Short mmCIF file of all heavy atoms in Angstrom, two decimals:
data_model
loop_
_atom_site.label_atom_id
_atom_site.label_comp_id
_atom_site.label_asym_id
_atom_site.label_seq_id
_atom_site.Cartn_x
_atom_site.Cartn_y
_atom_site.Cartn_z
N LEU F 368 -7.77 78.41 -33.66
CA LEU F 368 -6.30 78.31 -33.58
C LEU F 368 -5.96 77.80 -32.17
O LEU F 368 -5.89 78.48 -31.21
CB LEU F 368 -5.60 79.65 -33.80
CG LEU F 368 -5.56 80.14 -35.23
CD1 LEU F 368 -6.88 80.76 -35.67
CD2 LEU F 368 -4.40 81.03 -35.48
N CYS F 369 -5.91 76.45 -32.04
CA CYS F 369 -5.78 75.84 -30.78
C CYS F 369 -4.43 75.26 -30.47
O CYS F 369 -3.54 75.42 -31.35
CB CYS F 369 -6.91 74.78 -30.56
SG CYS F 369 -6.64 73.36 -31.62
N ARG F 370 -4.29 74.68 -29.33
CA ARG F 370 -3.07 73.96 -28.97
C ARG F 370 -3.50 72.57 -28.50
O ARG F 370 -4.15 72.48 -27.49
CB ARG F 370 -2.33 74.68 -27.83
CG ARG F 370 -1.70 75.99 -28.17
CD ARG F 370 -1.11 76.67 -27.00
NE ARG F 370 -0.66 78.01 -27.39
CZ ARG F 370 0.60 78.33 -27.59
NH1 ARG F 370 1.52 77.38 -27.53
NH2 ARG F 370 0.95 79.54 -27.91
N ASP F 371 -3.19 71.61 -29.35
CA ASP F 371 -3.77 70.28 -29.12
C ASP F 371 -3.52 69.76 -27.74
O ASP F 371 -4.45 69.26 -27.04
CB ASP F 371 -3.11 69.36 -30.18
CG ASP F 371 -4.18 68.92 -31.19
OD1 ASP F 371 -5.27 69.56 -31.22
OD2 ASP F 371 -3.96 67.96 -31.94
N SER F 372 -2.31 69.73 -27.33
CA SER F 372 -1.95 69.04 -26.13
C SER F 372 -2.42 69.87 -24.92
O SER F 372 -2.72 69.28 -23.83
CB SER F 372 -0.42 68.76 -26.02
OG SER F 372 -0.10 68.02 -27.13
N ILE F 373 -2.46 71.20 -25.06
CA ILE F 373 -2.97 72.02 -23.98
C ILE F 373 -4.49 71.69 -23.72
O ILE F 373 -4.95 71.73 -22.62
CB ILE F 373 -2.81 73.54 -24.36
CG1 ILE F 373 -1.34 73.84 -24.41
CG2 ILE F 373 -3.54 74.39 -23.37
CD1 ILE F 373 -0.54 73.76 -23.13
N LEU F 374 -5.21 71.43 -24.80
CA LEU F 374 -6.63 71.01 -24.65
C LEU F 374 -6.76 69.61 -24.16
O LEU F 374 -7.69 69.25 -23.46
CB LEU F 374 -7.37 71.16 -26.00
CG LEU F 374 -7.55 72.61 -26.48
CD1 LEU F 374 -8.00 72.63 -27.93
CD2 LEU F 374 -8.54 73.35 -25.58
N ALA F 375 -5.81 68.72 -24.52
CA ALA F 375 -5.96 67.28 -24.15
C ALA F 375 -5.58 67.05 -22.70
O ALA F 375 -6.18 66.15 -22.08
CB ALA F 375 -5.15 66.44 -25.10
N ALA F 376 -4.57 67.76 -22.19
CA ALA F 376 -4.07 67.42 -20.82
C ALA F 376 -5.06 67.44 -19.80
O ALA F 376 -5.14 66.44 -18.94
CB ALA F 376 -2.91 68.41 -20.51
N PRO F 377 -6.03 68.47 -19.64
CA PRO F 377 -6.97 68.38 -18.56
C PRO F 377 -7.96 67.23 -18.75
O PRO F 377 -8.44 66.75 -17.78
CB PRO F 377 -7.71 69.72 -18.68
CG PRO F 377 -7.33 70.28 -20.01
CD PRO F 377 -5.99 69.75 -20.36
N LEU F 378 -8.20 66.81 -19.98
CA LEU F 378 -9.05 65.62 -20.25
C LEU F 378 -8.44 64.42 -19.72
O LEU F 378 -9.10 63.54 -19.17
CB LEU F 378 -9.28 65.48 -21.74
CG LEU F 378 -10.54 66.12 -22.34
CD1 LEU F 378 -10.50 67.60 -22.18
CD2 LEU F 378 -10.69 65.75 -23.81
N CYS F 379 -7.09 64.28 -19.88
CA CYS F 379 -6.41 63.13 -19.40
C CYS F 379 -6.58 63.07 -17.87
O CYS F 379 -6.87 61.99 -17.30
CB CYS F 379 -4.86 63.22 -19.67
SG CYS F 379 -4.46 63.16 -21.36
N LEU F 380 -6.39 64.17 -17.22
CA LEU F 380 -6.53 64.26 -15.72
C LEU F 380 -7.99 63.80 -15.31
O LEU F 380 -8.16 62.97 -14.47
CB LEU F 380 -6.17 65.67 -15.26
CG LEU F 380 -6.38 65.87 -13.70
CD1 LEU F 380 -5.44 64.88 -12.89
CD2 LEU F 380 -6.17 67.33 -13.34
N ASP F 381 -8.91 64.43 -16.02
CA ASP F 381 -10.32 64.17 -15.59
C ASP F 381 -10.73 62.67 -15.84
O ASP F 381 -11.35 62.04 -14.95
CB ASP F 381 -11.31 65.06 -16.37
CG ASP F 381 -11.14 66.52 -15.86
OD1 ASP F 381 -10.58 66.78 -14.79
OD2 ASP F 381 -11.60 67.43 -16.64
N LEU F 382 -10.29 62.18 -17.02
CA LEU F 382 -10.64 60.79 -17.35
C LEU F 382 -10.01 59.82 -16.37
O LEU F 382 -10.64 58.84 -15.89
CB LEU F 382 -10.25 60.51 -18.76
CG LEU F 382 -11.11 61.05 -19.82
CD1 LEU F 382 -10.47 61.07 -21.20
CD2 LEU F 382 -12.43 60.21 -19.90
N CYS F 383 -8.77 60.12 -15.97
CA CYS F 383 -8.10 59.20 -15.02
C CYS F 383 -8.79 59.29 -13.64
O CYS F 383 -9.05 58.23 -13.02
CB CYS F 383 -6.64 59.60 -14.87
SG CYS F 383 -5.63 59.12 -16.32
N LEU F 384 -9.01 60.48 -13.12
CA LEU F 384 -9.58 60.62 -11.77
C LEU F 384 -10.99 60.04 -11.77
O LEU F 384 -11.41 59.40 -10.77
CB LEU F 384 -9.56 62.07 -11.32
CG LEU F 384 -8.23 62.77 -11.13
CD1 LEU F 384 -8.38 64.13 -10.45
CD2 LEU F 384 -7.31 61.95 -10.21
N LEU F 385 -11.72 60.32 -12.82
CA LEU F 385 -13.15 59.77 -12.77
C LEU F 385 -13.32 58.33 -13.04
O LEU F 385 -14.13 57.64 -12.48
CB LEU F 385 -13.99 60.60 -13.79
CG LEU F 385 -14.13 62.12 -13.44
CD1 LEU F 385 -14.83 62.82 -14.54
CD2 LEU F 385 -14.88 62.28 -12.15
N SER F 386 -12.31 57.78 -13.76
CA SER F 386 -12.33 56.25 -13.96
C SER F 386 -11.93 55.60 -12.67
O SER F 386 -12.50 54.58 -12.26
CB SER F 386 -11.32 55.83 -15.01
OG SER F 386 -11.65 56.38 -16.24
N ASP F 387 -10.93 56.19 -11.94
CA ASP F 387 -10.57 55.67 -10.66
C ASP F 387 -11.76 55.74 -9.69
O ASP F 387 -12.04 54.76 -8.94
CB ASP F 387 -9.35 56.42 -10.13
CG ASP F 387 -9.02 56.09 -8.60
OD1 ASP F 387 -8.91 54.90 -8.35
OD2 ASP F 387 -8.96 57.07 -7.83
N LEU F 388 -12.45 56.84 -9.70
CA LEU F 388 -13.67 56.99 -8.91
C LEU F 388 -14.68 55.96 -9.19
O LEU F 388 -15.25 55.28 -8.30
CB LEU F 388 -14.22 58.37 -9.08
CG LEU F 388 -15.67 58.61 -8.54
CD1 LEU F 388 -15.67 58.63 -7.02
CD2 LEU F 388 -16.31 59.91 -9.06
N ALA F 389 -14.92 55.75 -10.52
CA ALA F 389 -15.97 54.79 -10.95
C ALA F 389 -15.60 53.41 -10.41
O ALA F 389 -16.44 52.71 -9.94
CB ALA F 389 -16.04 54.79 -12.48
N ALA F 390 -14.31 53.01 -10.44
CA ALA F 390 -13.90 51.69 -10.00
C ALA F 390 -14.23 51.55 -8.50
O ALA F 390 -14.76 50.52 -8.05
CB ALA F 390 -12.41 51.50 -10.28
N ARG F 391 -13.94 52.61 -7.77
CA ARG F 391 -14.19 52.58 -6.33
C ARG F 391 -15.67 52.61 -6.02
O ARG F 391 -16.11 52.20 -4.90
CB ARG F 391 -13.45 53.74 -5.57
CG ARG F 391 -11.97 53.45 -5.48
CD ARG F 391 -11.22 54.52 -4.75
NE ARG F 391 -11.05 55.75 -5.54
CZ ARG F 391 -11.69 56.87 -5.38
NH1 ARG F 391 -12.63 57.02 -4.42
NH2 ARG F 391 -11.49 57.92 -6.14
N ALA F 392 -16.45 53.12 -6.96
CA ALA F 392 -17.89 53.16 -6.81
C ALA F 392 -18.55 51.86 -7.21
O ALA F 392 -19.77 51.75 -7.26
CB ALA F 392 -18.51 54.34 -7.51
N GLY F 393 -17.71 50.95 -7.71
CA GLY F 393 -18.32 49.60 -8.14
C GLY F 393 -18.88 49.63 -9.50
O GLY F 393 -19.72 48.78 -9.90
N ARG F 394 -18.56 50.76 -10.29
CA ARG F 394 -19.10 50.74 -11.67
C ARG F 394 -18.10 50.10 -12.61
O ARG F 394 -16.92 50.27 -12.53
CB ARG F 394 -19.31 52.28 -12.06
CG ARG F 394 -20.32 53.02 -11.24
CD ARG F 394 -20.29 54.49 -11.61
NE ARG F 394 -20.72 54.75 -12.97
CZ ARG F 394 -21.77 55.44 -13.28
NH1 ARG F 394 -22.46 56.07 -12.33
NH2 ARG F 394 -22.10 55.72 -14.50
N TYR F 395 -18.59 49.24 -13.49
CA TYR F 395 -17.72 48.61 -14.38
C TYR F 395 -18.34 48.51 -15.80
O TYR F 395 -19.52 48.88 -16.02
CB TYR F 395 -17.36 47.15 -13.90
CG TYR F 395 -18.51 46.31 -13.58
CD1 TYR F 395 -19.10 45.51 -14.52
CD2 TYR F 395 -19.04 46.31 -12.30
CE1 TYR F 395 -20.25 44.71 -14.24
CE2 TYR F 395 -20.12 45.57 -11.94
CZ TYR F 395 -20.72 44.76 -12.94
OH TYR F 395 -21.83 43.93 -12.64
N GLY F 396 -17.50 48.16 -16.78
CA GLY F 396 -17.88 48.16 -18.18
C GLY F 396 -17.80 49.58 -18.74
O GLY F 396 -17.17 50.44 -18.18
N ILE F 397 -18.54 49.84 -19.84
CA ILE F 397 -18.51 51.16 -20.52
C ILE F 397 -19.07 52.24 -19.60
O ILE F 397 -20.12 52.12 -19.08
CB ILE F 397 -19.40 51.13 -21.81
CG1 ILE F 397 -18.92 49.98 -22.76
CG2 ILE F 397 -19.41 52.46 -22.50
CD1 ILE F 397 -19.83 49.78 -23.97
N GLN F 398 -18.27 53.24 -19.43
CA GLN F 398 -18.70 54.40 -18.58
C GLN F 398 -19.28 55.52 -19.45
O GLN F 398 -18.58 56.39 -19.94
CB GLN F 398 -17.49 54.87 -17.72
CG GLN F 398 -16.93 53.89 -16.83
CD GLN F 398 -17.97 53.37 -15.86
OE1 GLN F 398 -18.58 54.12 -15.04
NE2 GLN F 398 -18.18 52.03 -15.82
N ARG F 399 -20.57 55.47 -19.72
CA ARG F 399 -21.14 56.39 -20.67
C ARG F 399 -21.15 57.89 -20.14
O ARG F 399 -21.13 58.83 -20.87
CB ARG F 399 -22.57 56.03 -20.99
CG ARG F 399 -22.58 54.64 -21.72
CD ARG F 399 -23.88 54.36 -22.40
NE ARG F 399 -23.96 55.17 -23.63
CZ ARG F 399 -25.09 55.36 -24.35
NH1 ARG F 399 -26.21 54.79 -23.93
NH2 ARG F 399 -25.10 56.06 -25.44
N PHE F 400 -20.98 58.00 -18.83
CA PHE F 400 -21.00 59.35 -18.31
C PHE F 400 -19.69 60.11 -18.70
O PHE F 400 -19.66 61.35 -18.58
CB PHE F 400 -21.17 59.36 -16.71
CG PHE F 400 -19.94 59.08 -15.90
CD1 PHE F 400 -19.26 60.05 -15.28
CD2 PHE F 400 -19.50 57.76 -15.74
CE1 PHE F 400 -18.14 59.79 -14.49
CE2 PHE F 400 -18.38 57.49 -14.98
CZ PHE F 400 -17.68 58.48 -14.33
N LEU F 401 -18.71 59.39 -19.15
CA LEU F 401 -17.48 60.00 -19.56
C LEU F 401 -17.53 60.43 -21.05
O LEU F 401 -16.55 60.94 -21.56
CB LEU F 401 -16.26 59.10 -19.33
CG LEU F 401 -16.02 58.75 -17.85
CD1 LEU F 401 -14.92 57.82 -17.70
CD2 LEU F 401 -15.76 60.04 -17.03
#
Side-chain angles (χ1 to χ4, degrees):
L368 285 82
C369 66
R370 289 175 188 262
D371 249 15
S372 302
I373 294 294
L374 290 169
L378 266 63
C379 294
L380 176 62
D381 291 342
L382 282 162
C383 288
L384 294 188
L385 294 174
S386 299
D387 170 50
L388 166 70
R391 283 182 287 105
R394 296 172 66 119
Y395 53 89
I397 302 172
Q398 299 301 304
R399 298 197 75 193
F400 81 102
L401 297 176

